[in-house]
Amino acid sequence: MTRLCLGDRDRRSEQRAQFLDAVLSAGERLVICSTGFDVRTRAEIPPAVIVSELTEAVEVSIGALLRTGRSSEAGLVRSARSTS
């Protein structure tokens, strides 16, 4: 593994910044879709780390809204496809 030097590109940071830009540019709704399977082998794959982090942050925010009685502002739809 090569070490990054000052001025080197950090692709992970760039991808995180691009994802954040996409999330922030969304209007009232944000839809993120994934099949959850490798397109070639059909093996189940977990969501990208950044998508998991976003999902967790949204769930925490919605939980806070529900605890304060502001449930009309909360809305998260999660769907899982059965592998059977």
Side-chain angles (χ1 to χ4, degrees):
M1 181 171 169
T2 59
R3 296 182 64 191
L4 292 177
C5 295
L6 185 61
D8 286 349
R9 293 176 61 186
D10 180 9
R11 292 180 190 224
R12 183 171 183 238
S13 294
E14 287 179 1
Q15 290 174 344
R16 292 177 76 80
Q18 290 170 350
F19 187 79
L20 180 60
D21 287 343
V23 169
L24 293 175
S25 67
E28 293 182 17
R29 291 179 173 82
L30 174 68
V31 177
I32 299 174
C33 301
S34 173
T35 62
F37 295 94
D38 184 284
V39 294
R40 284 170 274 190
T41 64
R42 299 288 298 154
E44 189 172 350
I45 55 173
V49 172
I50 190 141
V51 174
S52 296
E53 291 173 353
L54 174 66
T55 302
E56 290 172 11
V58 169
E59 288 172 341
V60 167
S61 298
I62 288 175
L65 287 173
L66 294 174
R67 284 190 297 278
T68 59
R70 297 164 51 191
S71 60
S72 63
E73 298 176 33
L76 172 65
V77 177
R78 296 184 77 187
S79 176
R81 180 189 280 185
S82 173
T83 59
S84 52

